Amino acid sequence: SDFDVYVPNLIFLGDSITDRPERSTTFQAECLVKGLMKIGVEKFSLVGFTYGGMVGFKLAQLYPHMVESMVISSAVIEMTESVSNASLKNIGFTNWSDFLLPKTVTGVKVLLSTGTHKWPWLPKFFYKDFLEVMFDNRKEKEQILEALVVSDKDATITPSNYSQRIYLLYGDDDRIFNKKISDNMKEKLGKNATIQYVKNAGHLLQIEQPSTYNYYLKKFLSNS
């Protein structure tokens, strides 16, 4: 109730689609900005989670005059090959599509259990429904994942690009982007960045610890 909240659908990750071939975070960021400008939003605090966080970093780089502050969870500045390889090794996969776009109930269970500190027991129908509902636009999502990873030498986002206050909010048991990765990112971002770890939470910390996450989120936004 204290904020005007806008929750966009990223292209092919909700009901928003395009017939254009672009799949990069730059394209996603440009679409977001055009949408916000159409409804008269010229300055805002950005809250991004996982892929949305990476789009958020790109948006803040391209449109620094619009982004006043950022809250980023379970994401990296940019998915370079070195970060991608280290993260995939952590979870025992060789590519992101096999992990993030499962084709079986077992694959959904692996996805959710890997993404959490402690995933509860749930009946099989939950996983079957999840599989049917969450993985439409599979071809386009695979293309998004392919476009996400860039070679280290082609990385365009550097920590010096950010003048905004950045609040990094991570689960203390994130097995995808572990503490080594997130602490290194915080160090690179420098004095403008603050990091907070939520106890007993994995990559999906908003699901596991919603009250704690919302507490820290609102505390930061209120001071922005």
Side-chain angles (χ1 to χ4, degrees), residues 21-93:
E22 291 93 336
R23 299 290 183 265
S24 67
T25 54
T26 296
F27 178 64
Q28 296 274 18
E30 290 171 347
C31 290
L32 280 177
V33 165
K34 288 178 181 178
L36 289 167
M37 292 179 69
K38 280 183 178 292
I39 57 177
V41 179
E42 298 180 352
K43 286 185 178 293
F44 53 88
S45 292
L46 185 152
V47 180
F49 167 69
T50 187
Y51 177 70
M54 287 178 258
V55 173
F57 273 119
K58 177 61 75 172
L59 194 157
Q61 178 200 16
L62 297 175
Y63 305 94
H65 59 287
M66 298 184 72
V67 182
E68 296 182 314
S69 62
M70 303 168 62
V71 181
I72 303 294
S73 299
S74 308
V76 291
I77 300 173
E78 191 168 37
M79 184 71 90
T80 59
E81 285 182 344
S82 57
V83 169
S84 176
N85 291 337
S87 298
L88 286 169
K89 184 178 179 180
N90 289 341
I91 59 177
F93 280 81

Side-chain angles (χ1 to χ4, degrees), residues 14-224:
D15 292 331
S16 299
I17 60 174
T18 181
D19 56 6
R20 290 174 57 176
E22 291 93 336
R23 299 290 183 265
S24 67
T25 54
T26 296
F27 178 64
Q28 296 274 18
E30 290 171 347
C31 290
L32 280 177
V33 165
K34 288 178 181 178
L36 289 167
M37 292 179 69
K38 280 183 178 292
I39 57 177
V41 179
E42 298 180 352
K43 286 185 178 293
F44 53 88
S45 292
L46 185 152
V47 180
F49 167 69
T50 187
Y51 177 70
M54 287 178 258
V55 173
F57 273 119
K58 177 61 75 172
L59 194 157
Q61 178 200 16
L62 297 175
Y63 305 94
H65 59 287
M66 298 184 72
V67 182
E68 296 182 314
S69 62
M70 303 168 62
V71 181
I72 303 294
S73 299
S74 308
V76 291
I77 300 173
E78 191 168 37
M79 184 71 90
T80 59
E81 285 182 344
S82 57
V83 169
S84 176
N85 291 337
S87 298
L88 286 169
K89 184 178 179 180
N90 289 341
I91 59 177
F93 280 81
T94 58
N95 65 77
W96 290 107
S97 292
D98 286 349
F99 174 58
L100 294 173
L101 299 173
K103 297 177 180 179
T104 65
V105 165
T106 299
V108 174
K109 289 181 179 179
V110 171
L111 171 64
L112 295 175
S113 61
T114 302
T116 54
H117 171 70
K118 186 178 181 181
W119 185 252
W121 179 90
L122 291 170
K124 188 175 181 178
F125 73 78
F126 168 84
Y127 298 101
K128 291 178 66 176
D129 288 348
F130 194 94
L131 186 63
E132 292 175 4
V133 171
M134 294 300 294
F135 302 109
D136 57 347
N137 297 321
R138 185 176 291 272
K139 176 183 176 182
E140 290 81 6
K141 287 177 179 175
E142 288 177 350
Q143 293 169 346
I144 286 172
L145 292 172
E146 290 174 4
L148 184 61
V149 181
V150 299
S151 67
D152 288 45
K153 64 181 179 63
D154 292 334
T156 60
I157 297 183
T158 60
S160 60
N161 287 329
Y162 302 100
S163 58
Q164 300 92 348
R165 290 179 59 226
I166 301 173
Y167 191 46
L168 305 172
L169 194 51
Y170 286 72
D172 68 347
D173 189 28
D174 190 328
R175 281 171 274 175
I176 299 172
F177 299 132
N178 60 24
K179 281 189 174 183
K180 181 179 179 180
I181 293 174
S182 52
D183 282 342
N184 182 59
M185 184 171 63
K186 158 65 179 73
E187 185 177 344
K188 287 181 177 180
L189 287 169
K191 63 182 181 180
N192 286 340
T194 303
I195 193 165
Q196 175 69 51
Y197 287 104
V198 176
K199 292 183 178 181
N200 299 322
H203 193 72
L204 303 174
L205 72 160
Q206 296 98 321
I207 294 176
E208 289 193 280
Q209 302 292 346
S211 296
T212 304
Y213 173 84
N214 287 334
Y215 168 78
Y216 286 122
L217 175 64
K218 289 191 284 187
K219 182 178 180 181
F220 177 81
L221 291 177
S222 296
N223 294 326
S224 296

